[in-house]
Amino acid sequence: MTLPRREFLKATSGLLTGLVVAGSPLALIARGPVWAVDLTVFTSSEAATLMIVARTIIPHDKLDDAAYALVIQAIDRDAANDETVRKMMKSGIAGLGSGFTGKPESDRVEILKEVEPSEFFQTMRLKTIQVLYTTPMAYAYFGYEGEAFSKGGYLTRGFNDLRWLPEVPLDDSGPMPL
Amino acid sequence: MAKIDFSDGNAVVIIGSGAGGGTLAHELTRRGIKVVLLEAGKRQSLESFSQVPGEAFAQLTWLDPRTQSGDWRGARDFPPLPVWHCKTVGGTTVHWTAAAPRLQPWELRAKSIYGNVAGASLIDWPLSYAELEKYYEIAETRLGVTRRNGIPGLPASNNFKVMYAGAKKLGYKQVHTGHMAINSRSYDGRAFCIQQGFCIQGCKMGAKWSTLYTEIPSAEATGNLDLRIESTATRIEHGEDGRVNAVIYHDSQGREQRQKARLVCVAGNAVETARLLLLSESSKFPQGLANSSGQVGRNYCHHITGSVWAIFDKPIYSWRGATLAGVVEDEVVNQPERGFVGGYRMELLTLDLPTLPLVGLPYGWGRDFASIMENYRNLAGMFINGEDMPRSDNRITLNSNVKDAFGLPVANVHVDEHSNDQAMRKHAKGQMAKMYEAIGAQRVIPGPTPPATHNMCTARMSADPKDGVTNAWGQTHDIKNLFVSDGSVLTTPGAANPTLTIVALALRQAEHISGEMKAGKV
């Protein structure tokens, strides 16, 4: 992942890395076989915990770690820009207790339910949803084709290709403009 | 473009450039009237519209702080964003989804038809449907509304095919791709719709009507328009005679300016319009301008809304195609035996991948939430647009505890839902679920009440000055040269998406203002 110059000039606190899995949606868009996300506030261990938190809140098992890593990077950036966010996140991570990452999903869900009203949890939930579904990896994973203007819209690319229901009579629909 | 002097006391000042303000600016300037049009936002274009949903949201949305209160779900689910409208040249016509139905004749007589509804502040409109209809016809021609004047409907999308099949199973008759202000073929120098599915992000084809690229350039071409962007009105001033005579605003450089005015038209969307009238209080008008009745900001309506999604076992790709091009109109009737008064539409809905989980789905997380998203390809959607009950205490007030960038109190939006609203929403969500279940939906997911996009009735037209803020021309009861020109003037909301009605009323208001100015009455 490319980072703005400003981020490079800061001391790096941690790193999230991974391999691009062959055949995954990420493989279609990745530039190389490995990816890495630089962090300025969280340690590698804290970031790894946040990755598991994000994966517990919004679990898409087959969606690549790289997409979740972008969530953590966005939170890291917020924490770098705001001391109160940094403190809140750090204490939130500590509040999960030791061994959180190694626990089975059902246990992790229980732990997160206990902290659900907290700012830490609500920030993690909102940020995960806000960032995860905007990533190119998520677009590819969910089959979402995104903006269509550059490709001439969906008019000739499947906006009406559904065939498992009856066609709508012309009176209640309308003619193709082309 | 005209350059109108700050000290030109002959200028008409319009605040807001959306459906009401933009249309009014065109109508006045083409009649030779000099207009200063103040717009708080920046000017975008077909070229500059972002197609990244989050960026487009930031580019177009009014994000200045607001607060909210009351028992409505919007207060709980979207605390910082009670309403969702635009801050950009063209106003909310830039992000609107272009459904352009008319109100029904009986909807203008809500009080007479529904009778006394406890806890509601219903009144009848001060103008007849026959009077409004003349302007609906002009507005439909102006906007190029489909299924009117021989203009064909939009072709059916996948998402609509699902809605149609379900509606027909339930026996609904009035089901079609809608009366849309989206070109089904080239019209008025604008291109036809290529089914991008990005209506909310700004239509890069210009196939969807917006004052940004229709009324405003037409007004500029007259040579009578002085459009001032990034100019936020903060106060309307008046003279000792009680007539308004100037507008104070902050310009793009952050400087405070004072524009003299012969006449002022407020069209800042119902929340900001009410706020500006309240902010303009003075020793002569201690309750705010045009507020001797105490009705400014009251009776706030925003339609009963809420989405319903259904997961099928086959792909739909609902994101392909015009966002809202489909409607069931059979429930736009007043049948109290359903358990509520007033009617509702069911309208097609799709949301892009990043936006759906943020505003389309109920709060949740974990396996269940993720499983809905896993079915994004197979998801069909629609939503209810129904008439809500006006209530005196559902209102816009000034919240002095929170200040905007200029140090002024922000608007608080207070809504306590009427039991009629809840009964209607329940009925509509039940019907939508039945439609989807009738054609084999695996699961139906009722969505939350999203931030309000239809904001209305906060300066409503009334026959009796005690009941409202403006007369049948949007002219305030208290101040003859102060007008309201947006959805605030709707007397009651009806079940129609409001833009067409706002445009029709602006067309009618322009005739009135022009006549009054010629006659020397204002």
Side-chain angles (χ1 to χ4, degrees), chain A residues 57 60-61 105 116 122 125 141-145 149 154-155 158-162 164 167 171-173, chain B residues 147 153-154 156 158 161 164 175-177 194-196 315 319-320 352 363-367 370 373-374 377:
Chain A
I57 292 175
H60 295 297
D61 295 342
E105 182 174 349
E116 188 171 351
Q122 290 300 325
R125 178 188 173 273
Y141 177 77
F142 292 102
Y144 177 55
E145 298 147 307
F149 176 73
Y154 292 110
L155 187 66
F159 92 104
N160 63 352
D161 65 357
L162 187 151
W164 52 272
E167 288 300 314
D171 274 358
D172 295 329
S173 173
Chain B
R147 292 171 205 286
L154 287 165
N158 291 345
K161 288 181 190 182
Y164 190 83
V175 191
H176 52 75
T177 54
I194 59 169
Q195 304 284 346
Q196 300 175 68
W319 61 81
R320 301 176 183 167
D352 58 81
Y363 173 88
W365 57 279
R367 286 284 157 192
M373 293 304 296
E374 291 275 332
R377 287 179 191 81

Side-chain angles (χ1 to χ4, degrees), chain B residues 107-153:
Chain B
E107 290 182 301
L108 270 57
R109 302 174 55 236
K111 171 78 173 181
S112 301
I113 301 285
Y114 306 159
N116 283 320
V117 178
S121 51
L122 288 166
I123 56 171
D124 287 346
W125 284 49
L127 74 160
S128 69
Y129 185 79
E131 175 63 14
L132 183 59
E133 189 174 31
K134 290 186 279 185
Y135 297 90
Y136 269 149
E137 285 168 5
I138 303 168
E140 285 164 349
T141 302
R142 182 71 60 90
L143 273 58
V145 177
T146 58
R147 292 171 205 286
R148 306 282 192 203
N149 303 304
I151 297 174

Side-chain angles (χ1 to χ4, degrees), chain A residues 58 60 63 67-68 71 127-135 138:
Chain A
I58 304 292
H60 295 297
L63 178 56
Y68 288 91
V71 173
K127 208 72 190 180
T128 303
I129 292 174
Q130 277 178 341
V131 176
L132 193 67
Y133 296 111
T134 64
T135 61

